[in-house]
Amino acid sequence: MPLNAPLDASVAWDGGNGSVQILDGEVPAVTGTVETGEPPTVQGLPERLRQAVARMAAVSGAECQGKSIADEDPDPNWVEPTCYGCSRPRELGGLFLPGWRVAPDVIASPFVAEASHRDAERHLAWPIAVAATDCSTGICFSADRDFQKRLSAEDKAYITGSLDYYLLRPAPLDGRAYRVLGTPDGIEGRKMFGAAGLFDEAGTPYVVCEGTWLVIPMPDEWKKSSQPASKS
């Protein structure tokens, strides 16, 4: 994915399935697909992801107290201050879900929907639900201070490799409190696997995301622009 370059989006829909591409000129930089059918269930998720969902559901009602991970780290290489999901302030139109440590292997952020997040049925719009769970599949690794220090010492960062979403059920906007939770799910070489989900306080999952992140050398552009999210 090129940095600081204009990109275009191309969307196609055949009535059953959809596809989207992010284009660098005429060359696809990212390709995604949407497959429709019967809604998935937690029991139908891959076993590894089911275990991650159980870890997150167990602490879905936990309070997010103290400093967020962004505020704890004076040089959070994972965060981009303009990111819609994790770090753009609410007053600037973002979701601001930087993550609080609620268990040794789980982070959480309160999610408060706004009027613009509703769909025609007064549920949380799917694009917003998907955007909310994206970043936490990676931020959860920053909850491990030692891991983050090792990356910084090696002058490395990590970027999104792939994201798979499971839309389990619509999220009603009826005053109930939601949390976005994330948990690491293993590291293999330069690949990092994380899971995240949108839950209510009772532990019911509405959207689950499985993310693969790739460790890369720290780009020079990031070194110049990186700054704590609290200063954005």
Side-chain angles (χ1 to χ4, degrees):
M1 177 70 75
L3 300 175
N4 299 319
L7 302 171
D8 295 311
S10 171
V11 179
W13 186 257
D14 64 9
N17 299 313
S19 63
V20 61
Q21 291 183 324
I22 305 299
L23 302 171
D24 179 14
E26 297 182 355
V27 179
V30 175
T31 298
T33 60
V34 177
E35 299 178 1
T36 59
E38 291 297 319
T41 64
V42 173
Q43 291 74 23
L45 298 177
E47 181 179 357
R48 181 168 165 174
L49 188 53
R50 289 202 307 269
Q51 295 175 0
V53 169
R55 291 198 300 274
M56 294 186 286
V59 293
S60 61
E63 292 188 37
C64 300
Q65 298 179 329
K67 292 183 177 181
S68 70
I69 292 172
D71 289 326
E72 286 182 352
D73 193 336
D75 183 22
N77 293 328
W78 55 265
V79 77
E80 170 57 47
T82 59
C83 179
Y84 174 75
C86 65
S87 61
R88 187 186 300 174
R90 281 291 182 124
E91 59 268 24
L92 297 180
L95 299 180
F96 193 69
L97 303 167
W100 279 259
R101 190 179 292 101
V102 293
D105 57 351
V106 180
I107 64 165
S109 298
F111 180 83
V112 180
E114 300 176 356
S116 60
H117 298 159
R118 294 191 180 100
D119 64 15
E121 286 73 40
R122 300 185 66 81
H123 293 137
L124 180 65
W126 286 125
I128 303 298
V130 165
T133 55
D134 175 345
C135 296
S136 288
T137 64
I139 296 174
C140 57
F141 288 92
S142 292
D144 182 340
R145 296 184 181 92
D146 291 336
F147 173 79
Q148 194 63 42
K149 288 179 181 178
R150 289 197 302 272
L151 273 190
S152 298
E154 297 172 2
D155 207 21
K156 292 181 179 178
Y158 50 97
I159 60 172
T160 311
S162 65
L163 296 167
D164 292 311
Y165 295 95
Y166 299 86
L167 311 181
L168 303 178
R169 53 178 61 83
L173 298 183
D174 55 4
R176 71 185 68 187
Y178 290 104
R179 298 280 190 275
V180 174
L181 296 107
T183 185
D185 205 19
I187 299 176
E188 297 176 5
R190 58 189 293 261
K191 292 183 178 181
M192 303 159 49
F193 303 100
L198 178 71
F199 294 77
D200 61 23
E201 290 184 309
T204 303
Y206 292 81
V207 177
V208 175
C209 179
E210 191 171 28
T212 300
W213 296 72
L214 305 174
V215 176
I216 62 170
M218 177 70 70
D220 291 337
E221 292 89 346
W222 293 10
K223 295 177 185 177
K224 296 175 184 177
S225 65
S226 179
Q227 58 179 319
S230 58
K231 294 182 181 179
S232 61

